[in-house]
Amino acid sequence: MAELSKPSQSPVTQAQVQVGAVPEPALHMPTLKESINRPLQMHEKNLIYSLCAITSTHMSGKNILAPGPPSWEIAGRFFLDECIMVRQGYDFVDDRSLSAVISSYFVSTAFFELNQSRKSWYYLREAMTMAQDIGLHEEFKYSGLHPAEELCRRRTFWILYVTERSFAILRHKPLTLSKTPALPSTLHDYEAPEIHSGFMHLVHSYHLLDSNFVDSWNEASDAPVSTLTYTALQQQLNISNSSHVSLTAIQKADILVTQQWLRLIVWQSSMRQGLLSSGAADESMTFRYPLKIAHSLLSVISSLPITSIEVHGMGIFEKIFEIGNSMVDIMQAYGSQIPHEVYGICQDPFDMFVRTLSQTPNSQRQYANLLLAKVAEKPEIQRFSHTLTKVLSIDNMPHSNGSISNTIPHVGEQQWVGSIVGEIKANEDAVSKEDMEKPTITQ
């Protein structure tokens, strides 16, 4: 690993630029590229090492070809150690630079990719605390800044805002960022327009779920949420793919999968409030609505190259898993009563979910195997899947170059019944089998 000890000599930063595996909007790329060609100050080393760490952990186990070390995961852990060591070499707590905030966010995301949620949450809170300390939440703090600096600061705040809300929902954590500055409205001169539009689409999706909703979701508030609020949220999240035509495939994957997952969260919240009914006039307030969400998600997945999904890392796979897991619960509860002609569910939706979740070794171990284990214990779901009408073709998933994807391993029928593919290793950060077995509906 000696050849990776100097960040300016590492191929990792170039891999980051090539594959877009890291949320670049927070960085000013010309400044970053200029810095790695000269001796670095301590706070700059901290940022570069954290960038290398998040890039390496994102690349770990993926089918994306890029020059780099033999093991991206080992490289990621190495850069995390180096980043933390650099921080010990100067007064990091007193570092009031934007790069310090961004580095903590990168470290948080790197630990999330390594399935170390507690460390991920710790460094995310560190990033948010430092962001508030330098006033990223205060609009007046942006006055007089250079346009490039102002844009990076605004984007950094809103990246933290989105990440905190996602983490708060996934892990039932409290919200910290309530006061917000204005949204960014410009581009760096080297950026394509879709960079800004994609970023804003993602922010608006999370912005719909305000602090009152998140508090209710986390059971931190006794204030009820009305049926009208839930149906309005579902309508706002149910945006057709045509509204994202100007975005890249990578942006579409992130935004569209996130929207389907947020629809599931809103549905689950309305269920907790006891507002669902089998005969509700609005479909989003019925018990079987997750089937519609699953169908929408499978339509999204089948329309995109699989690399556009895997590049986002473990976070997007967890969202896909949550939707697939809820679909299994609904099928178990409703059985043959599901009007599958209406939902247009593909012949074997489980196969498509499992193949997608098996795209990387980490996602297969953490999510696909759990879904397989659950279905293996419920043979009635397997029998029902054979009767569904084929609408989506899981063998026709296009690559970005237009070719047909066969990279997702096919799971044969014999593997579905009475066996578990791979070994499920329990630890404090992974999604546990017990958590997966918690029912999402009641009858």
Side-chain angles (χ1 to χ4, degrees):
M1 193 61 69
E3 68 274 13
L4 296 179
S5 61
K6 295 182 180 180
S8 61
Q9 297 176 352
S10 171
V12 180
T13 52
Q14 294 304 316
Q16 181 266 334
V17 174
Q18 290 178 32
V19 304
V22 176
E24 289 182 25
L27 300 172
H28 186 244
M29 297 307 293
T31 301
L32 177 67
K33 291 177 180 178
E34 182 274 331
S35 69
I36 62 177
N37 293 318
R38 58 171 171 76
L40 298 173
Q41 299 181 34
M42 294 297 283
H43 73 276
E44 293 174 322
K45 288 183 179 180
N46 173 48
L47 176 63
I48 296 295
Y49 278 129
S50 68
L51 174 60
C52 291
I54 187 179
T55 303
S56 298
T57 53
H58 263 81
M59 293 293 291
S60 177
K62 292 182 173 58
N63 295 314
I64 301 168
L65 297 178
S71 170
W72 284 105
E73 180 176 341
I74 292 176
R77 293 183 183 278
F78 168 81
F79 286 124
L80 282 170
D81 290 342
E82 290 295 308
C83 179
I84 294 171
M85 188 179 301
V86 165
R87 292 178 171 202
Q88 295 171 348
Y90 79 111
D91 193 353
F92 171 73
V93 175
D94 201 40
D95 186 349
R96 294 174 55 83
S97 66
L98 179 63
S99 64
V101 178
I102 297 173
S103 72
S104 291
Y105 166 71
F106 284 168
V107 170
S108 169
T109 305
F111 276 121
F112 186 89
E113 289 298 308
L114 295 173
N115 195 29
Q116 294 183 268
S117 291
R118 292 186 65 186
K119 289 183 179 179
S120 178
W121 176 244
Y122 174 89
Y123 284 102
L124 178 60
R125 290 299 294 261
E126 179 179 83
M128 292 187 295
T129 298
M130 299 181 78
Q132 290 176 319
D133 185 55
I134 63 174
L136 294 191
H137 62 302
E138 300 279 7
E139 181 61 33
F140 74 90
K141 290 284 188 178
Y142 294 87
S143 177
L145 293 176
H146 186 278
E149 174 75 7
E150 177 187 346
L151 180 56
C152 287
R153 285 175 174 260
R154 289 191 189 277
R155 286 180 173 178
T156 297
F157 176 88
W158 286 103
I159 287 172
L160 293 175
Y161 177 93
V162 165
T163 306
E164 183 192 30
R165 268 164 168 66
S166 180
F167 218 117
I169 293 170
L170 281 170
R171 301 290 186 266
H172 296 281
K173 300 295 186 182
L175 292 178
T176 300
L177 302 178
S178 55
K179 187 175 183 179
T180 62
L183 291 163
S185 58
T186 59
L187 283 168
H188 293 303
D189 54 12
Y190 59 86
E191 290 180 330
E194 57 265 23
I195 296 295
H196 175 72
S197 58
F199 182 73
M200 295 309 298
H201 271 298
L202 189 62
V203 170
H204 284 306
S205 294
Y206 279 97
H207 207 32
L208 292 172
L209 306 186
D210 59 19
S211 58
N212 291 332
F213 177 89
V214 177
D215 287 343
S216 175
W217 170 259
N218 289 333
E219 299 179 348
S221 171
D222 295 328
V225 181
S226 68
T227 300
L228 184 61
T229 298
Y230 284 121
T231 55
L233 283 173
Q234 292 288 4
Q235 291 173 359
Q236 290 173 299
L237 289 169
N238 190 20
I239 302 174
S240 65
N241 294 10
S242 60
S243 64
H244 302 88
V245 291
S246 63
L247 305 181
T248 66
I250 290 176
Q251 290 176 315
K252 287 180 182 179
D254 190 16
I255 294 165
L256 295 175
V257 171
T258 295
Q259 284 178 344
Q260 303 312 315
W261 173 68
L262 290 176
R263 289 172 69 191
L264 178 67
I265 295 301
V266 172
W267 177 85
Q268 289 178 338
S269 182
S270 61
M271 179 192 66
R272 290 181 180 182
Q273 298 282 337
L275 300 176
L276 299 183
S277 170
S278 298
D282 192 302
E283 187 179 23
S284 67
M285 301 304 291
T286 64
F287 288 107
R288 62 178 181 266
Y289 191 59
L291 292 179
K292 187 67 173 287
I293 297 172
H295 167 55
S296 298
L297 177 65
L298 295 181
S299 297
V300 168
I301 292 173
S302 65
S303 69
L304 296 170
I306 194 62
T307 52
S308 68
I309 295 174
E310 68 168 321
V311 75
H312 293 289
M314 295 299 286
I316 199 168
F317 286 118
E318 183 165 358
K319 294 170 184 175
I320 293 171
F321 168 79
E322 291 289 342
I323 295 173
N325 187 46
S326 294
M327 179 191 70
V328 169
D329 286 334
I330 299 296
M331 286 183 166
Q332 179 192 13
Y334 274 85
S336 59
Q337 299 177 16
I338 298 176
H340 50 271
E341 293 84 359
V342 175
Y343 290 103
I345 301 172
C346 63
Q347 185 176 11
D348 194 345
F350 310 112
D351 193 46
M352 190 167 183
F353 271 106
V354 172
R355 291 174 68 188
T356 303
L357 294 171
S358 299
Q359 184 62 16
T360 73
N362 291 343
S363 63
Q364 181 180 32
R365 179 177 63 253
Q366 192 167 335
Y367 301 120
N369 289 350
L370 282 175
L371 204 58
L372 281 167
K374 184 169 186 174
V375 173
E377 296 173 357
K378 304 179 188 301
E380 68 276 10
I381 299 177
Q382 175 65 9
R383 289 195 300 271
F384 174 61
S385 70
H386 294 162
T387 68
L388 297 177
T389 304
K390 184 175 183 180
V391 173
L392 300 176
S393 174
I394 57 178
D395 293 319
N396 294 321
M397 300 178 68
H399 281 303
S400 56
N401 61 7
S403 62
I404 301 301
S405 169
N406 290 308
T407 59
I408 305 178
H410 179 73
V411 181
E413 292 183 9
Q414 296 301 318
Q415 292 176 289
W416 285 93
V417 181
S419 65
I420 299 176
V421 178
E423 179 181 357
I424 302 174
K425 182 178 180 181
N427 61 62
E428 64 177 3
D429 291 319
V431 176
S432 67
K433 187 175 179 181
E434 288 74 17
D435 288 339
M436 185 187 67
E437 290 292 342
K438 293 177 181 177
T440 58
I441 69 167
T442 56
Q443 282 192 303

